[in-house]
């Protein structure tokens, strides 16, 4: 790996380059003058710090922080990747990396990382690693004191290389059993389609998790397989899909739209950043009814697919307003093996609208940013004449009320209590029934409650915090004397009661426990099946797909009022 041999030489070299550039500009070019002037000032500051600052500065660290802060003032997507971080950028673009194929989490009590979710068919799963395994050593190096990012970096490496991993696995006696594995790293590609199936009433379902890699190929195969199995309508689930490659979104849209349709247009400052992307092939199916599930985690390429299908009246969009990322990034090569991922343009879907929700150019006085207010958004129209708006993601045709998870559930997950219970459950149950039939019984839940109480579980109650603030305000404004009895009664009713909360929110907690247990046996596929059991968004999508008259009406031009 290339390294800077001497920080001072590098800094002086850059300064000289900037000075030469400074004198090469025309005096009348004020913009170039300002750039050269500020580059000269920046380099002079670095030189002065290196020569005179009381402590020796690390030029790589100091300048890197300066670069990162400069780029952050633009938008969070313009990033610098030095040579040693190129694998991270490659993973972002291709959706693949060399590693073992598992999520890891940090155990705050043990101060060590542990396996949280091995992916099906990856080296982690093949070797026999299980959720709950505490990571002790990698090739003899103790992992104590290392955070998740450091451990993750050690687990990754070139595909085909091997290493020895020592873990400690919880056992039924309450202790931990030392184990050692020899693992060969592979190129890990997160599955673009972790689950696809034909549901009731011949409704096909495809969960599309990413647009990185080559998901269009997987999508085509999954869709054609579902049609062979009898699917007569389709749900595309893009919830939580943060995007990826623009071309892949266009390709998948092409499966349901005629050749020659404009899917997205990019517009930037320079000519090379402005392009129009059209469907280039014959479609797979122009007639099958389609519904697309979206939420606030649906972003970028996912918004291109869902938004273009909405703008061209080809699908009903169901769920919640999408994230609102309408900015396009491209990689630009830099000296010394570095790369900058830079925002070069905005994208516009067929109606002409841009879904970008945050205006990074016009910041508040304190530097913060905010979403574009609804009052400043503009009305556009779909191909059939339906009204849609810009400035804030894709608004669904059918909005689903967002489920609010109870406060206690956040703390149960944060303290790894649901995770620890699932680990114990799996030690006692070598197998479980299929995900479709699995459920957490009352007896199982009683065992979980016992584990929570034994752990001396503590959590914040928002009602108690708000009541305390209200009391302070009442005292400050002089109302406390007259309202003291009412406050006492309210305090009694809002008293912290763990038993009551565990019983009252048992439905939500049981669902989370079931998901954690099922993915130990059936991986991501099983977890998705569990989550779809009581899914309001899916229910609405299936409902509209099973009503051809309503489906056609929703995608048609609005009837003019007399």
């Amino acid at each position: 790996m290339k390294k800077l041999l001497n920080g001072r030489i590098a800094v002086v070299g850059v300064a000289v380059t900037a000075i030469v550039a400074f004198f090469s500009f025309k005096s009348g070019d004020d913009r170039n003058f300002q750039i050269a002037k500020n580059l000269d000032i920046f380099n002079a500051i670095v030189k002065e710090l290196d020569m005179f600052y009381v402590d020796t500065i690390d030029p790589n660290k100091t300048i890197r922080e300066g670069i990162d802060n400069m780029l952050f003032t633009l938008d969070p997507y313009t990033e610098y990747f030095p040579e040693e971080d190129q694998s991270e950028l490659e993973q972002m673009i291709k959706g693949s990396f060399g590693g073992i194929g598992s999520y890891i989490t940090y155990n705050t009590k043990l101060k060590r990382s542990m396996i949280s979710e091995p992916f099906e068919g990856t080296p982690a799963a093949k070797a026999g690693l299980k959720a709950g395994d505490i990571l002790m050593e990698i090739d003899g190096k103790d992992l104590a004191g290392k955070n998740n990012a450091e451990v993750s970096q050690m687990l990754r490496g070139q595909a085909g290389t091997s290493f020895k991993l020592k873990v400690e696995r919880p056992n039924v006696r309450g202790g931990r059993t030392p184990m050692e594995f020899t693992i060969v790293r592979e190129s890990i590609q997160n599955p673009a389609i972790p689950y696809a199936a034909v549901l009731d009433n011949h409704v096909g379902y495809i969960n599309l998790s990413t647009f990185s890699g080559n998901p269009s190929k997987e999508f085509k195969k999954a869709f054609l397989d579902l049609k062979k199995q009898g699917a007569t309508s389709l749900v595309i689930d893009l919830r939580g899909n943060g995007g990826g490659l623009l071309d892949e979104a266009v390709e998948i849209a092409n499966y349901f739209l005629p050749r020659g349709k404009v899917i997205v247009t990019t517009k930037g400052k320079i000519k090379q950043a402005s392009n129009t992307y059209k469907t280039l092939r014959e479609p797979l199916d122009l007639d099958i009814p389609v519904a697309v599930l979206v939420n606030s985690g649906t972003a970028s390429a996912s918004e291109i697919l869902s938004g273009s299908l909405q703008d061209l009246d080809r699908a009903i969009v169901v769920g919640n307003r999408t994230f609102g990322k309408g900015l396009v990034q491209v990689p630009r090569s830099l000296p010394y093996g570095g790369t900058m991922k830079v925002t070069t343009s905005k994208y516009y879907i067929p109606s002409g609208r841009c879904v970008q929700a945050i205006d990074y150019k016009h910041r508040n006085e304190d530097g913060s940013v905010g979403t574009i207010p609804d009052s400043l958004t503009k009305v556009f129209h779909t191909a059939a004449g339906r009204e849609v708006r810009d400035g804030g993601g894709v608004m669904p045709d059918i909005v689903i009320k967002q489920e609010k998870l109870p406060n206690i559930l956040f703390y149960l997950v944060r303290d790894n209590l649901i995770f620890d219970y699932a680990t114990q459950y799996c030690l006692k149950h070598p197998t479980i029934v299929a995900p479709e039939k699995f459920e957490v019984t009352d007896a199982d839940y009683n065992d979980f409650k016992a584990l929570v109480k034994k752990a001396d579980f503590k959590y914040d109650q928002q009602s108690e915090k708000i009541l305390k603030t209200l009391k302070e305000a009442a005292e400050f404004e002089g109302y406390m004397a007259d309202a003291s009895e009412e406050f006492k009664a309210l305090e009694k009713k809002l008293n912290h009661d763990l038993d009551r909360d565990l019983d009252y929110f048992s439905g939500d907690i049981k669902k989370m426990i079931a998901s954690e247990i099922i993915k130990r046996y059936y991986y991501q596929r099983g977890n998705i099946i569990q989550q779809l059991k009581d899914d309001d968004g899916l229910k609405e999508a299936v409902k509209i797909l099973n009503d051809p008259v309503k489906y056609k009406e929703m995608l048609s031009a609005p009837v003019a009022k007399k």
Side-chain angles (χ1 to χ4, degrees):
M1 184 179 294
K2 298 174 184 175
K3 293 291 184 181
L4 293 176
L5 298 178
N6 187 301
R8 296 185 182 183
I9 293 174
V11 170
V12 173
V14 173
V16 170
T17 302
I19 293 169
V20 171
F22 172 82
F23 286 110
S24 68
F25 291 132
K26 295 179 181 179
S27 58
D29 191 340
D30 184 63
R31 180 174 178 77
N32 286 339
F33 170 77
Q34 293 300 329
I35 291 173
K37 168 188 168 183
N38 285 287
L39 280 173
D40 196 18
I41 293 171
F42 177 81
N43 284 301
I45 289 172
V46 176
K47 272 181 61 179
E48 294 298 314
L49 288 174
D50 188 50
M51 292 289 291
F52 298 112
Y53 186 67
V54 63
D55 295 319
T56 301
I57 67 169
D58 179 344
N60 289 327
K61 183 175 183 291
T62 302
I63 296 174
R64 174 65 189 271
E65 288 182 356
I67 291 170
D68 289 344
N69 281 297
M70 173 182 65
L71 297 181
F72 188 74
T73 63
L74 304 177
D75 65 61
Y77 312 112
T78 297
E79 297 178 270
Y80 167 58
F81 295 85
E83 184 183 34
E84 58 268 23
D85 292 344
Q86 291 303 298
S87 60
E88 182 183 343
L89 178 62
E90 186 176 352
Q91 178 192 343
M92 195 180 297
I93 296 172
K94 297 182 179 179
S96 64
F97 57 93
I100 69 169
S102 175
Y103 289 132
I104 59 173
T105 189
Y106 193 73
N107 187 310
T108 52
K109 292 180 180 178
L110 298 174
K111 292 184 171 31
R112 284 183 178 273
S113 295
M114 60 183 178
I115 298 292
S116 62
E117 186 182 344
F119 305 148
E120 189 171 10
T122 62
K126 292 175 186 176
L129 290 175
K130 295 184 180 299
D133 287 348
I134 308 296
L135 303 181
M136 306 301 292
E137 294 180 8
I138 294 178
D139 281 338
K141 296 177 182 177
D142 190 355
L143 302 178
K146 296 189 181 297
N147 60 36
N148 268 355
E150 292 170 317
V151 174
S152 178
Q153 191 63 34
M154 293 175 72
L155 290 171
R156 292 186 181 185
Q158 188 173 350
T161 59
S162 65
F163 66 98
K164 291 188 183 300
L165 175 66
K166 286 186 179 180
V167 306
E168 288 186 356
R169 177 170 296 171
N171 56 45
V172 290
R173 298 182 300 277
R176 298 199 298 271
T177 304
M179 304 181 77
E180 184 173 314
F181 300 88
T182 298
I183 302 177
V184 179
R185 297 181 181 94
E186 294 179 9
S187 178
I188 305 300
Q189 177 83 49
N190 292 333
I193 300 178
Y195 181 63
V198 177
L199 310 177
D200 295 336
N201 299 314
H202 306 289
V203 177
Y205 171 88
I206 296 178
N207 186 298
L208 182 59
S209 66
T210 181
F211 284 89
S212 295
N214 190 16
S216 59
K217 185 177 179 181
E218 290 184 51
F219 189 99
K220 180 178 180 179
K221 181 180 183 305
F223 175 61
L224 295 176
D225 286 346
L226 292 179
K227 288 190 70 174
K228 287 179 182 177
Q229 296 171 40
T232 56
S233 59
L234 179 66
V235 174
I236 304 173
D237 194 342
L238 296 179
R239 292 175 296 186
N241 186 327
L245 301 176
L246 183 151
D247 289 332
E248 291 295 305
V250 174
E251 184 72 15
I252 293 174
N254 196 167
Y255 295 153
F256 306 100
L257 294 165
R259 177 188 286 184
K261 289 286 183 182
V262 173
I263 302 300
V264 62
T265 301
T266 61
K267 298 178 183 179
K269 185 165 61 176
I270 61 174
K271 185 177 180 181
Q272 294 92 323
S274 301
N275 290 291
T276 298
Y277 297 82
K278 298 181 179 181
T279 52
L280 302 176
R281 313 177 204 286
E282 292 301 318
L284 297 179
D285 195 322
L286 289 176
D287 301 314
I288 189 169
V290 179
V292 182
L293 298 178
V294 298
N295 65 6
S296 59
T298 302
S300 193
S302 293
E303 293 173 292
I304 291 176
L305 178 57
S306 56
S308 63
L309 292 176
Q310 183 183 59
D311 281 358
L312 296 170
D313 304 294
R314 184 62 186 88
I316 299 290
V317 180
V318 181
N320 307 113
R321 186 198 293 260
T322 61
F323 182 82
K325 181 180 180 293
L327 305 177
V328 182
Q329 289 76 45
V330 298
R332 300 286 301 172
S333 296
L334 297 175
Y336 298 99
T339 304
M340 182 168 65
K341 180 167 67 71
V342 58
T343 299
T344 58
S345 56
K346 293 181 179 180
Y347 69 71
Y348 299 80
I349 50 180
S351 63
R353 57 179 168 150
C354 178
V355 300
Q356 179 62 25
I358 297 177
D359 185 357
Y360 293 105
K361 184 177 180 180
H362 300 99
R363 292 176 178 262
N364 301 319
E365 289 185 3
D366 62 358
S368 62
V369 294
T371 56
I372 298 171
D374 290 341
S375 60
L376 296 181
T377 61
K378 297 178 182 177
V379 173
F380 293 80
H381 294 88
T382 70
R386 299 184 295 139
E387 282 192 4
V388 288
R389 285 184 172 271
D390 69 352
V394 175
M395 179 59 74
D397 303 301
I398 300 174
V399 177
I400 303 298
K401 184 178 179 181
Q402 286 187 296
E403 181 183 6
K404 292 184 178 180
L405 296 176
N407 188 47
I408 188 175
L409 189 56
F410 167 80
Y411 290 98
L412 289 170
V413 172
R414 185 200 66 177
D415 291 356
N416 284 326
L417 289 172
I418 290 176
F419 185 90
D420 291 344
Y421 174 75
T423 300
Q424 291 185 13
Y425 184 96
C426 294
L427 290 171
K428 299 173 185 176
H429 301 82
T431 61
I432 61 171
V433 297
E436 294 85 352
K437 298 178 180 179
F438 180 82
E439 61 181 35
V440 175
T441 66
D442 290 339
D444 295 333
Y445 194 61
N446 286 333
D447 289 342
F448 172 73
K449 289 195 292 184
L451 179 145
V452 172
K453 292 174 184 176
K454 186 178 179 181
D456 193 27
F457 173 62
K458 305 290 184 187
Y459 63 103
D460 290 335
Q461 282 191 316
Q462 294 300 312
S463 55
E464 287 183 357
K465 287 185 174 181
I466 294 169
L467 179 61
K468 182 181 178 182
T469 303
L470 182 60
K471 282 179 67 177
E472 290 172 352
E475 288 176 353
F476 178 76
E477 295 178 355
Y479 295 113
M480 195 62 194
D482 294 333
S484 61
E485 292 303 316
E486 286 82 355
F487 271 109
K488 287 179 182 177
L490 192 55
E491 280 179 338
K492 191 174 181 180
K493 288 186 177 181
L494 296 179
N495 188 38
H496 196 97
D497 187 340
L498 179 60
D499 280 317
R500 177 259 180 200
D501 287 353
L502 287 173
D503 289 336
Y504 187 81
F505 297 112
S506 62
D508 290 314
I509 298 171
K510 279 185 176 181
K511 288 179 186 176
M512 188 68 77
I513 294 172
S515 286
E516 188 60 50
I517 290 173
I518 287 173
K519 66 186 179 185
R520 307 287 182 102
Y521 300 90
Y522 296 101
Y523 302 98
Q524 292 183 49
R525 180 178 62 86
N527 189 31
I528 293 170
I529 293 172
Q530 163 62 25
Q531 292 174 347
L532 293 179
K533 288 179 183 176
D534 188 23
D535 188 312
D536 291 336
L538 180 62
K539 288 177 184 176
E540 283 298 321
V542 170
K543 182 179 177 182
I544 192 68
L545 290 174
N546 287 330
D547 187 343
V549 175
K550 182 70 174 175
Y551 176 84
K552 185 176 180 181
E553 179 185 314
M554 289 191 69
L555 293 177
S556 300
V559 178
K561 294 181 180 179
K562 293 182 181 180

